[in-house]
Amino acid sequence: MTIKNVLQKIIRLYLSPVKSARYVGVKLGNNTFIADKHHWPSEAYLITIGNDCAITEGVKLYTHGGGRMMRQKYPDFYSFGKISIGNHVYIGASSQIMPGVTIEDNVLIASSSVVTKSVPSGVVVGGNPARIICTIDDYIKRNIKYNTHTKGQSKEEKRKVLEKLPDNAFIKKKEMIYES
């Protein structure tokens, strides 16, 4: 490891996750939350993230991959894909975004999703590979009844509210159905 690489790693340790992203070249909009100091790809400058986004814990964004397999036949092979993330996008924990993907505005990506194709505006996607689950409007209609109105409260205040709520005030998933 070169002295330059060591110095860069040290500098990144002391930067916030947002400043760390900007330092490595990610183009960031305003009011975007990044949960942790990502291990950004070496071509982080190929990533653009819009305004009011949330990149949660453990999300990975890839700008290249698979080149090693091609180099047996094409020794100088290397291919890249830009990643573009629009405004008001939430990317759930441990999701992976593949090279060349565009995620348009107002999108929710469920945790642990693998996004291999571009995503249109106004939808919820999830799975491996990620698929459209519903629209954002449908998601809101299904979940608004679970709003606890605790955003901005302290941990103690929120705990008091949540411990007093009846079971039907919490999200509960239905049982899976076997389809043959």
Side-chain angles (χ1 to χ4, degrees), residues 17-88:
V18 167
K19 287 181 180 177
S20 177
R22 285 194 171 111
Y23 177 78
V24 297
V26 176
K27 295 168 203 76
L28 282 176
N30 297 317
N31 198 34
T32 287
F33 169 79
I34 299 175
D36 52 20
K37 293 183 184 178
H38 289 62
H39 299 284
W40 298 101
S42 53
E43 300 77 25
Y45 49 84
L46 295 177
I47 300 170
T48 302
I49 301 172
N51 299 318
D52 300 303
C53 294
I55 312 298
T56 62
E57 193 172 313
V59 171
K60 302 277 193 234
L61 295 97
Y62 302 100
T63 55
H64 68 277
R68 186 173 296 272
M69 293 305 300
M70 299 288 288
R71 289 189 197 116
Q72 286 181 321
K73 192 167 185 176
Y74 305 99
D76 65 345
F77 182 86
Y78 227 144
S79 65
F80 301 92
K82 291 181 177 183
I83 295 174
S84 178
I85 299 171
N87 300 314
H88 305 283

Side-chain angles (χ1 to χ4, degrees), residues 12 17 20 50 53 56-57 75 77 79 102 106 109 114 122 130 144-145 148 155 161 165 167 177:
R12 285 179 61 198
S20 177
C53 294
T56 62
E57 193 172 313
F77 182 86
S79 65
T102 295
N106 303 308
I109 298 174
V114 179
I144 193 67
K145 63 186 172 190
T148 61
K155 287 182 180 183
V161 170
L165 289 176
D167 283 346
I177 299 171

